[in-house]
Amino acid sequence: MSAENIDNNISYEILEDLEDDFEEVELELLRQQAKLTKDLYAKRAKVVSEIPNFWPLVFEQAPPDIDEYVQPTDSAVLLSSLVNLSVERFELPNGDPRSISIKFEFSENEYFENTVLEKKFWWRRNKDGWAGLVSEPVKINWKADKDLTSGMLDLVYQVWEDDKAGKGDDTEAKKKLKSQMESTGLDGVSFFAWFGFRGLSISEEENQAALKEEQEKRQARKEGKEVEEEVEEEDEDDDDDEYEMEIFPTADDLAVCIAEDLWPGAIKYFLAAQEQDALSDINFESDEEMDDEDDAQPSKKRKA
Amino acid sequence: MSAENIDNNISYEILEDLEDDFEEVELELLRQQAKLTKDLYAKRAKVVSEIPNFWPLVFEQAPPDIDEYVQPTDSAVLLSSLVNLSVERFELPNGDPRSISIKFEFSENEYFENTVLEKKFWWRRNKDGWAGLVSEPVKINWKADKDLTSGMLDLVYQVWEDDKAGKGDDTEAKKKLKSQMESTGLDGVSFFAWFGFRGLSISEEENQAALKEEQEKRQARKEGKEVEEEVEEEDEDDDDDEYEMEIFPTADDLAVCIAEDLWPGAIKYFLAAQEQDALSDINFESDEEMDDEDDAQPSKKRKA
């Protein structure tokens, strides 16, 4: 279908072109940001590694968009054993700067055997023009009776393995997961269910083909050619590849929030936690009361 | 007072240094962004000026952080008469890229005489180390019985004039404003009260002196010198310059939200409004239904 007209013959395509150009700038700025902050993050990692409880205290002060997902037991796990967090735009320098990996490192704890839990999110595009973050489930080796997701994460992982093996829609794991999700719902689900997120199923081939098609369309529009939009005959089947058994459906948003708020703002949150906990029983007070006016209003300061 | 130690002799000053360095990078990225998007925003302004109701429709789809402040009557004003919005980082290229001006342009309407309402926010630092956005009240020439702030914005403006004239704390306007704020509260206050925001009172001289002092401290820390922090003897009087009669206390946050979300995302919000209103009575449908899959999930797409 060719360009549709709004009023006065302004076509949607002009707006889309503009959005494409803005998107290019944003990607360039993300690349610049990664380049300009690389050494600083390395330095920060070194400094904070010598501060006990740095990352648990950061999580304690996490903004609502993150905090709402951290249940009391999750907090206890983080507080007792989270020793490091790191975020990387792992497809740089040549790939998409929006792909992010988030790595949690833990000391020995009573909940699981893993010392590293790393979740990767790939920025992918599909044939229908959707673009966003997709992921793969990460297995957690829970200790006996300590599974904070009540078995759901294990089932998600099994379903994933079954899907890769082409076992169809009728496997034991799928039936169990579906029935568990229906009976218990997802309210109050553990933060650790986040590791189970898959998102849309987009193969690397589909992504590459979609990217190429999109770039060709953009190029053609730039050259003023009329671009033939494919008529989507299979419109009704659009969510064929939508994965319905997501135990943490907003995991992609949460990942972005960790990468773009908690991670860059970690020192600010840590200092806020210091102030708040100054008189609490967490073994973290300094001898003197903080007098740093600079950090007295973390929500007001240094927002750009 | 010299650096306080957390555990293991990691001083707060190292963390502050790091934060300063990260802040420098953020400012540099804001400058880059302004440079790289300048022509695109000019092009967008030209394109959208030919689309009737572009900006009212953008506001109709504004995210909750903005929408919560737009009362039904405000919406009616915007819908009937907002013809343009523009955001500028007006202290660039040499000043602070966090200073923003937000300009609303209106067609003739039944509420006020102004065709332009421009509010400027200056990024300023005070002697106590606080940094953030401050502003000046903007007068709106309301038509008879059409003041959406029930007189509060006029009073704020009068108080501002009184303060500039050094009339002290006991003026008629101050008393009236205070009593009105106490009796009616600020729940459900009009969006247009936003134009009354002042924030902390920081003179240009104080800002320059504070900037200079801060830069000297940073430099000294970089050179490894121990930095003498001033002992704040007047700690108790710290909010001396806090302006207590703010009729829109979160105006600075809202300004940032407009500048960093609504403004760059305007096309996305407009397209979302198009879809939502496709069958409504607003005179804005195109002949054919939108089939653009790309924009079907504005919240998922193109988030970086």
Side-chain angles (χ1 to χ4, degrees):
Chain A
M1 200 178 301
S2 65
E4 293 168 11
N5 296 327
I6 307 174
D7 284 13
N8 299 331
N9 289 328
I10 303 296
S11 82
Y12 283 110
E13 292 202 348
I14 298 183
L15 294 178
E16 277 170 32
D17 276 352
L18 268 167
E19 284 291 78
D20 293 342
D21 291 342
F22 277 112
E23 187 181 358
E24 288 299 324
V25 170
E26 280 312 304
L27 294 184
E28 176 56 25
L29 288 168
L30 277 177
R31 281 184 211 106
Q32 292 277 347
Q33 184 183 48
K35 206 185 290 179
L36 293 172
T37 54
K38 191 166 186 282
D39 292 347
L40 289 177
Y41 279 122
K43 191 172 167 191
R44 187 182 77 176
K46 196 162 171 296
V47 171
V48 308
S49 72
E50 302 189 40
I51 304 177
N53 278 336
F54 179 86
W55 287 107
L57 286 167
V58 169
F59 267 90
E60 202 175 275
Q61 292 290 317
D65 286 350
I66 295 174
D67 193 53
E68 64 176 310
Y69 297 112
V70 181
Q71 310 301 332
T73 327
D74 302 328
S75 276
V77 179
L78 296 175
L79 190 58
S80 69
S81 59
L82 179 63
V83 292
N84 198 18
L85 176 79
S86 48
V87 172
E88 210 190 335
R89 299 193 180 268
F90 65 94
E91 292 199 313
L92 290 177
N94 300 314
D96 199 302
R98 289 166 293 196
S99 294
I100 42 184
S101 111
I102 301 179
K103 189 163 81 176
F104 292 78
E105 292 172 59
F106 298 93
S107 57
E108 196 165 317
N109 66 73
E110 53 176 313
Y111 290 90
F112 44 75
E113 304 288 349
N114 315 61
T115 54
V116 175
L117 292 174
E118 179 175 13
K119 187 146 180 80
K120 287 173 121 169
F121 293 84
W122 289 262
W123 185 270
R124 290 295 177 260
R125 177 177 285 274
N126 75 6
K127 57 179 168 26
D128 303 323
W130 180 92
L133 292 172
V134 303
S135 187
E136 295 178 355
V138 172
K139 194 167 173 53
I140 297 182
N141 299 315
W142 302 104
K143 292 187 177 175
D145 300 324
K146 290 294 188 181
D147 185 340
L148 295 170
T149 70
S150 311
M152 285 201 296
L153 185 58
D154 282 350
L155 286 171
V156 164
Y157 197 81
Q158 188 57 52
V159 167
W160 165 251
E161 300 259 281
D162 290 351
D163 282 351
K164 280 196 295 186
K167 288 196 179 165
D169 279 342
D170 235 20
T171 68
E172 205 54 41
K174 277 189 196 176
K175 281 187 274 186
K176 273 172 89 172
L177 179 56
K178 201 171 170 194
S179 108
Q180 189 169 343
M181 284 174 69
E182 279 165 5
S183 66
T184 66
L186 294 174
D187 283 351
V189 73
S190 163
F191 170 80
F192 289 91
W194 176 79
F195 287 98
F197 178 78
R198 291 170 56 170
L200 292 192
S201 172
I202 302 174
S203 71
E204 185 51 29
E205 293 68 37
E206 179 175 353
N207 176 57
Q208 289 300 336
L211 273 178
K212 193 160 164 259
E213 190 185 322
E214 177 66 19
Q215 265 149 14
E216 284 166 1
K217 266 193 224 163
R218 290 188 189 183
Q219 193 53 40
R221 281 204 300 258
K222 276 207 205 311
E223 290 165 7
K225 292 183 195 148
E226 187 156 306
V227 177
E228 194 71 21
E229 298 279 341
E230 283 167 52
V231 181
E232 306 277 354
E233 284 176 16
E234 73 289 69
D235 254 354
E236 298 307 308
D237 304 328
D238 255 8
D239 37 24
D240 252 8
D241 44 7
E242 189 102 46
Y243 176 62
E244 280 168 17
M245 283 182 289
E246 209 70 87
I247 59 173
F248 203 114
T250 54
D252 49 350
D253 293 331
L254 178 54
V256 170
C257 202
I258 290 174
E260 299 193 346
D261 185 340
L262 197 76
W263 169 248
I267 291 178
K268 176 187 78 181
Y269 291 122
F270 168 76
L271 292 171
Q274 283 282 298
E275 281 182 54
Q276 193 148 313
D277 294 353
L279 300 170
S280 86
D281 53 355
I282 292 180
N283 181 23
F284 222 95
E285 302 91 318
S286 57
D287 296 325
E288 296 161 292
E289 202 186 317
M290 280 187 69
D291 67 343
D292 188 356
E293 288 294 322
D294 232 13
D295 306 297
Q297 304 186 353
S299 71
K300 289 282 181 193
K301 235 216 117 202
R302 284 171 188 166
K303 95 198 141 188
Chain B
M1 198 177 300
S2 66
E4 294 167 11
N5 297 327
I6 308 174
D7 285 14
N8 299 331
N9 291 327
I10 303 297
S11 83
Y12 283 109
E13 292 203 345
I14 298 182
L15 294 179
E16 277 170 32
D17 276 351
L18 269 167
E19 284 290 78
D20 293 342
D21 292 342
F22 277 111
E23 189 182 357
E24 288 298 326
V25 170
E26 280 311 305
L27 294 184
E28 176 55 26
L29 289 168
L30 278 177
R31 282 184 210 106
Q32 292 277 345
Q33 184 183 49
K35 204 184 293 177
L36 293 172
T37 55
K38 190 165 187 281
D39 292 347
L40 289 177
Y41 280 122
K43 191 172 165 191
R44 188 182 75 176
K46 195 159 172 296
V47 170
V48 308
S49 71
E50 302 190 39
I51 304 178
N53 278 336
F54 180 86
W55 287 108
L57 286 167
V58 168
F59 268 90
E60 202 176 276
Q61 291 291 317
D65 286 350
I66 295 172
D67 193 54
E68 64 175 311
Y69 297 112
V70 181
Q71 310 301 333
T73 326
D74 301 328
S75 276
V77 179
L78 297 175
L79 191 59
S80 69
S81 60
L82 178 64
V83 292
N84 197 18
L85 176 79
S86 48
V87 172
E88 209 190 335
R89 299 193 179 269
F90 66 93
E91 292 199 312
L92 289 178
N94 299 317
D96 199 304
R98 288 166 294 195
S99 294
I100 43 183
S101 112
I102 301 179
K103 188 162 83 177
F104 291 78
E105 292 172 58
F106 297 93
S107 57
E108 197 165 319
N109 65 74
E110 53 177 315
Y111 292 90
F112 44 75
E113 305 288 351
N114 315 61
T115 53
V116 175
L117 292 174
E118 179 174 12
K119 186 146 179 79
K120 287 172 122 172
F121 294 85
W122 288 262
W123 185 271
R124 289 296 177 258
R125 176 178 287 275
N126 75 5
K127 58 178 167 26
D128 303 323
W130 181 91
L133 292 173
V134 303
S135 188
E136 296 178 356
V138 172
K139 194 166 173 54
I140 298 182
N141 300 316
W142 302 104
K143 292 187 178 175
D145 299 323
K146 289 295 188 181
D147 185 340
L148 295 171
T149 69
S150 310
M152 285 201 296
L153 185 58
D154 282 350
L155 286 170
V156 163
Y157 197 82
Q158 187 57 52
V159 167
W160 165 251
E161 300 258 282
D162 291 349
D163 282 351
K164 280 196 294 185
K167 290 196 179 162
D169 279 342
D170 236 20
T171 67
E172 204 55 40
K174 276 190 197 180
K175 281 188 272 186
K176 271 174 90 171
L177 179 56
K178 201 172 171 194
S179 108
Q180 189 167 346
M181 284 174 70
E182 278 166 6
S183 66
T184 66
L186 296 173
D187 282 351
V189 73
S190 163
F191 171 80
F192 289 92
W194 176 78
F195 287 99
F197 179 78
R198 292 171 55 170
L200 292 192
S201 171
I202 303 174
S203 70
E204 186 51 29
E205 292 68 37
E206 178 175 354
N207 177 57
Q208 289 300 337
L211 272 179
K212 190 159 166 261
E213 190 185 323
E214 177 66 18
Q215 264 150 14
E216 285 167 0
K217 266 194 222 163
R218 290 188 190 183
Q219 192 53 40
R221 282 205 299 260
K222 274 206 206 316
E223 290 166 6
K225 291 182 195 148
E226 187 157 306
V227 177
E228 193 72 21
E229 299 279 342
E230 283 166 54
V231 181
E232 306 278 354
E233 284 176 17
E234 72 288 70
D235 253 355
E236 298 307 310
D237 304 327
D238 254 7
D239 37 24
D240 253 7
D241 45 8
E242 188 102 46
Y243 176 62
E244 279 168 20
M245 283 182 289
E246 208 70 88
I247 59 174
F248 203 115
T250 54
D252 49 350
D253 293 331
L254 178 55
V256 170
C257 202
I258 290 174
E260 299 192 347
D261 185 340
L262 197 76
W263 169 248
I267 291 178
K268 176 186 77 182
Y269 291 122
F270 168 75
L271 292 172
Q274 283 282 298
E275 281 183 52
Q276 194 149 310
D277 295 352
L279 300 170
S280 86
D281 53 356
I282 293 178
N283 181 21
F284 222 94
E285 301 90 319
S286 57
D287 296 325
E288 295 160 293
E289 202 185 316
M290 280 186 70
D291 67 342
D292 188 356
E293 288 293 321
D294 232 14
D295 305 298
Q297 305 187 352
S299 71
K300 289 284 182 191
K301 236 218 116 200
R302 284 169 188 168
K303 93 196 144 191

